[in-house]
Amino acid sequence: MNLVRFSFLASFPLKSIFACEELFETPQKVLQSLLPPVIPFNDTASLGFIASEGQFLTVAESSNFTETPTYDEVMTFYNDLAAYSDYVEVKTLLTFPSGEEIILITVSGEKAFTASDMTKPIVYMTAGIHAGEIMGVSAGMMFIRNLVTMDEYSGVLKNVNFLFVPIFNVQGYLRQSVNGRINQHGPNTSGRRPNALWFNLNRDFGKLDSPEVRAIVSVMNDYDVSFYADLHSTDGMMYQADVEYCDNGDSGLSPNIFKWLREEMQPRLNEFLESYNHKPSVCIDANDPMDPTAGFYPYFSDGAAYSTNYADHRQIPAYLLEVHAPKPFKQRVLGAYSFVSGIVKIVTEQTESLRQAIDADRSARIDPVPIAWDYLEPAPIVDFDIYNYSIVTNEVLGIEQIIYTDEPVTIRVEQSERTVPLNPPKRPYAYIIPAVWSEVIDRLALHGIEMEIFTNDTTLEVTNYRIEDFESNGNREGRPPTTGTPVGEQCRRTYKTNDIFLRTDQPLGTLAVALLEPTGESSFFYWGFFNSKFVSHEYPENYIMVPLAERMLNESSTIKAEWEEYKASIGNDTSGVLDWFFRRSAFYDTEAYVLDVGLLYEAPASGEENLAPFVRDTDVGRDCYSVTTSIKDLVATLNTTGSGPADTSGVCSPSVPFVVIEFFAVSMAAFIAA
């Protein structure tokens, strides 16, 4: 073996690379004994949901709701169910390099398994995006089994198409262990929150960095979804409610859908949940987890990064489910089951009014467009149903500890809701994006947003944003959160062949505005897609800039007046003074700090005749990995061609550049050769 090829390892302590420190283990029974008191739940009304025997008995049911199924058990369950029932189809949305899949279960009473054949409303739900919050996995298995095998569901089945992703975050789900999630009462094992790239997938719906979220969004592109729900479980205080859910609030994005949800869906769903002894509430987070009197924050208007908020940007009615994690696993599964069942039932009963609300919002072109939100003032004062508590000083640790009892109490608190549009921008006629920003263009295409390309060079008067007070730092989901103040500038630009022309008069025009306007809470600007533009690559030397500055003062009264006003604030900062003058000379590259997206606020007098439909290039380059390429094949390819293998799977990981794989493959070559 040629050890020289592994000399890079010598600088790393091997233990830190290959070994894990021992961590304190806590058995599930002990952990559950440390949680707040369990409040008895009357499940008699739900017993009809639960099977005790049969071919499609779930792991949760057979274990009396102490266990959750493995990935393999979920796959076997649905493949067997599809073989049994003509109403069920299993489709692969995504295959990982290791062979596991994200699957889409279609249950169709009209036996329609393509979008074009479906005439009944489509309800789409996802479970396990956070793979520790997994009651939705078992609830979905039970519901789909009952939907196709029990006569009492026949009326619902024939009037709906139900699409279900049983495990959204497959890679997090595969990490099941007794240590999966600390704050919840069972099951005995659960997965982990991030995926293998360490993304929180429920922050990725705007930027689409992960192959998982791209797969989930592709379903929204391919099907005319009438309702979407994402199934989670929450932590938080000891709430009395066990089934918490919320819409996107009065965000202004889909006013007709919001009205339908509050007037048509919510009262019926609450009544349905209560008939099975569940206590529904809005899904929330405490303003101060150690002080219930400080009130709470409902998950409204959180921007396009989040699953159900993203759906609202697409004018898809949506609910986020947050079943309360400190409730026992059985209660959480039954709560999720009732939630799923209730939504499907109500959608089939209120199809006409739901369709009218959806059509009204999808045909509207809201202007201005809400893309960021502020808190409603004054905050509403509402009832908050919790359990009594005390704050004590823990004698062992010397810190404050909150201790809950099983005594229900209701307190009056502030509901801190963010539903006030914050400086919504005017809806432009179109955006223009130079073709060099291929990553941005590809993400827009993955969202399903329609675009065109210029077929000839075309000169237009556009508005561009110059970004002042630019800042970008930290790490959020692998990207640097970016802020700045956009200042509009009018300019005349010549756009080249294949540059992008994006009209906002389209069904996903509102989503396009949220992604392309820099003040959007999940805009491409915020996530740092354009950060390379916000630096100056030109700089002056002292020996030339000082005499040039003197000449500028002598020959420009405007610059002299500005300098007299400014010089006291900068003092004798030599580099600051030189930069001030350099930025006012023609040597400064004024393209620096300009967001490279042009805006047209009305149709141009000419130029649109030079447009043709945009077609996404599915060969997205070297950031794709192939499920069929082994390390040995990769090394052989590198040795012979110096480039990576062709993508054969359509599975992409933009956050793992090919150079990392290349470095790893070359480093491993000695092992393979040996």
Side-chain angles (χ1 to χ4, degrees), residues 94-97 211 214 623-627 647-653:
L94 177 71
T95 302
F96 294 96
R214 295 182 187 187
D623 64 352
C624 289
Y625 49 71
S626 166
V627 298
D647 173 47
T648 59
S649 67
V651 181
C652 299
S653 174

Side-chain angles (χ1 to χ4, degrees), residues 148-431:
V148 300
T149 62
M150 296 175 65
D151 290 340
E152 50 262 53
Y153 286 89
S154 61
V156 172
L157 176 61
K158 69 181 181 181
N159 287 306
V160 73
N161 293 292
F162 184 62
L163 309 182
F164 185 60
V165 174
I167 307 176
F168 189 147
N169 181 5
V170 168
Q171 294 170 325
Y173 197 84
L174 290 171
R175 298 180 64 208
Q176 279 183 333
S177 76
V178 296
N179 305 310
R181 197 159 189 249
I182 189 173
N183 300 312
Q184 67 186 17
H185 202 289
N188 287 335
T189 61
S190 56
R192 292 290 188 176
R193 191 176 184 88
N195 74 345
L197 295 174
W198 220 247
F199 290 149
N200 180 340
L201 296 176
N202 201 28
R203 307 293 184 271
D204 192 43
F205 277 80
K207 57 189 176 68
L208 295 184
D209 278 341
S210 69
E212 293 96 331
V213 177
R214 295 182 187 187
I216 299 307
V217 167
S218 72
V219 177
M220 296 182 182
N221 291 336
D222 293 343
Y223 295 85
D224 183 12
V225 176
S226 298
F227 203 99
Y228 172 66
D230 192 21
L231 312 182
H232 295 242
S233 60
T234 188
D235 302 324
M237 298 174 176
M238 277 300 292
Y239 315 127
Q240 294 179 35
D242 61 341
V243 179
E244 302 167 28
Y245 69 93
C246 57
D247 51 37
N248 200 31
D250 192 9
S251 66
L253 290 167
S254 309
N256 294 284
I257 290 172
F258 172 73
K259 185 173 185 290
W260 184 90
L261 289 170
R262 292 296 174 95
E263 296 180 2
E264 301 290 333
M265 172 62 85
Q266 183 175 306
R268 291 178 171 87
L269 184 56
N270 284 349
E271 182 180 1
F272 186 86
L273 291 167
E274 289 164 355
S275 72
Y276 291 99
N277 298 318
H278 295 289
K279 184 177 177 63
S281 175
V282 65
C283 53
I284 61 172
D285 199 5
N287 289 334
D288 182 346
M290 294 294 290
D291 182 10
T293 65
F296 60 82
Y297 166 83
Y299 297 150
F300 298 157
S301 309
D302 276 338
Y306 301 83
S307 59
T308 53
N309 311 88
Y310 171 80
D312 194 28
H313 283 73
R314 298 180 66 114
Q315 285 68 56
I316 297 175
Y319 275 155
L320 172 70
L321 173 67
E322 294 278 3
V323 177
H324 194 215
K327 304 295 192 293
F329 184 54
K330 181 178 183 180
Q331 183 176 352
R332 300 204 313 274
V333 172
L334 295 178
Y337 184 105
S338 296
F339 175 83
V340 172
S341 179
I343 286 176
V344 172
K345 178 177 182 293
I346 295 164
V347 167
T348 63
E349 294 170 347
Q350 306 298 321
T351 299
E352 185 176 347
S353 61
L354 173 58
R355 188 72 254 174
Q356 290 173 353
I358 292 171
D359 290 345
D361 283 334
R362 290 184 186 173
S363 61
R365 302 294 183 255
I366 52 175
D367 187 13
V369 183
I371 58 174
W373 293 267
D374 203 352
Y375 288 95
L376 180 64
E377 295 290 350
I381 305 299
V382 299
D383 286 343
F384 191 18
D385 296 331
I386 60 171
Y387 289 94
N388 214 347
Y389 65 95
S390 59
I391 305 293
V392 302
T393 299
N394 184 280
E395 295 181 359
V396 176
L397 303 180
I399 62 174
E400 285 190 339
Q401 177 184 7
I402 188 166
I403 299 176
Y404 287 99
T405 74
D406 58 1
E407 177 192 359
V409 295
T410 299
I411 58 178
R412 297 283 287 174
V413 300
E414 286 190 359
Q415 177 173 291
S416 305
E417 60 179 74
R418 247 174 24 107
T419 53
V420 179
L422 182 63
N423 300 321
K426 177 178 173 57
R427 187 187 196 97
Y429 174 78
Y431 293 101

Side-chain angles (χ1 to χ4, degrees), residues 66-121:
T66 60
E67 305 291 344
T68 195
T70 64
Y71 165 85
D72 288 337
E73 288 168 333
V74 172
M75 297 294 285
T76 298
F77 177 91
Y78 283 112
N79 286 325
D80 289 349
L81 191 60
Y84 168 84
S85 174
D86 292 339
Y87 297 118
V88 180
E89 182 182 78
V90 179
K91 175 184 177 182
T92 299
L93 292 180
L94 177 71
T95 302
F96 294 96
S98 52
E100 290 85 10
E101 300 173 336
I102 294 179
I103 57 173
L104 176 71
I105 311 303
T106 302
V107 185
S108 175
E110 55 185 342
K111 298 182 181 179
F113 298 108
T114 60
S116 59
D117 292 334
M118 293 180 174
T119 63
K120 304 298 183 182

Side-chain angles (χ1 to χ4, degrees), residues 458-500:
T458 304
T459 301
L460 296 170
E461 296 283 345
V462 300
T463 297
N464 279 109
Y465 291 122
R466 184 172 298 279
I467 304 299
E468 298 182 352
D469 306 316
F470 171 81
E471 290 187 14
S472 185
N473 51 64
N475 178 11
R476 186 183 182 202
E477 301 302 317
R479 289 186 175 271
T482 300
T483 60
T485 303
V487 178
E489 296 180 345
Q490 299 292 322
C491 52
R492 186 174 179 82
R493 291 186 180 272
T494 298
Y495 290 97
K496 301 294 185 180
T497 300
N498 290 323
D499 286 351
I500 294 295

Side-chain angles (χ1 to χ4, degrees), residues 425-446:
K426 177 178 173 57
R427 187 187 196 97
Y429 174 78
Y431 293 101
I432 307 178
I433 310 164
V436 294
W437 297 100
S438 57
E439 184 181 35
V440 169
I441 295 165
D442 193 61
R443 301 301 165 89
L444 290 166
L446 288 167

